[in-house]
Amino acid sequence: MLHPDLLASLQKLCDRHERFLVISHVRPDGDAYGSTLGLALCLQAMGKDVRAVNADGLSPLFEFLPGSKSLTATLSAAPEPDRLIIAVDCADQRRLGAAFDQWQRPPDVNIDHHVSNPGYAPLNLIDAESPATAQVLYEIISGLKWPLTPEVAANLYVGIMTDTGNFRYRQTTAHTFEVAARLVDAGADPTDLAEACYQSFRAERLLLISEVFKAIHFADRNRVAWFSLTPEMYAISGAIPDETEGLIEYLQAVKTVEVAFLLESLPDGLTRASMRSRGTVDVQRICQEFGGGGHRLAAGLRTKLDPVALEKKLLDLIAKQLPS
């Protein structure tokens, strides 16, 4: 839970400012979008002038979110000096994107749930026990009695639902369900939102899954599983990078798999890795070796290593933590 003093400090900032900018990490997921739009709509309901931005703009997969049309790509020009910058769901300031870096101005407020977040803003509201930043935002909105409109509730619900794996992951608690219920009471429609998130994919995603299934590898008595996403897979399937969200869960569905990861070469020459664990292996500790971070059970990284070299290093680090 957040300390009351932090909530009071945020309220003072809100009282002193009329213009805000809400931003999240590159390659945004449901929690990043839901948190960005949920907070932006809440501030707008308070009469504030708010911009919602992201380095990658709006993914077509999340066009169903209330307020999504207002979200734009991050501009290279810095916002006005009096516009308060709030970063949400971003454990590392560098992941706010290249355009943000050009501003040469840190966020004023940092709201997050990643345990690896170092607290890079003057005001940091970080709850590492929370399963999603959207839940942290609910606690803020509830604690400060800010507007919880149906549109705000829908965004926060999607953030929590997606970051808990549809309420399946370890950090999902009884309180998470209580928050979800309150969001439903406030106007979030669980059926419509679940269908939009999990039953509205394009055919191209299914074709990408077909390519991924051909490239799955297992090691260490099927306790480790991984695959690499390649440009050829995208070309064959017609899928877009946004449609890779959740593919790693197919590896986690195998009973024996303790650790799963995916690799992908990015256009900027870096290689990204996304890792998941059942609990035996601390994947956050592994990702931190490469400057990444996240949680013990779910973490990610980006590195200059090519996929082959990174694959070998990850397998070695995983082996050191797995029981013999």
Side-chain angles (χ1 to χ4, degrees), residues 125-140:
L125 296 93
I126 302 168
D127 183 359
E129 298 300 315
S130 181
T133 298
Q135 183 168 316
V136 180
L137 282 168
Y138 170 80
E139 304 293 355
I140 291 171

Side-chain angles (χ1 to χ4, degrees), residues 39 94 147 269:
L39 178 57
R94 294 171 298 179

Side-chain angles (χ1 to χ4, degrees), residues 25 89-91 112-117 126-128 133 163 293-295 298:
H25 60 77
D89 195 43
C90 186
D112 193 25
H113 76 120
H114 295 98
V115 68
S116 60
N117 192 312
I126 302 168
D127 183 359
T133 298
D163 238 32
H295 302 284

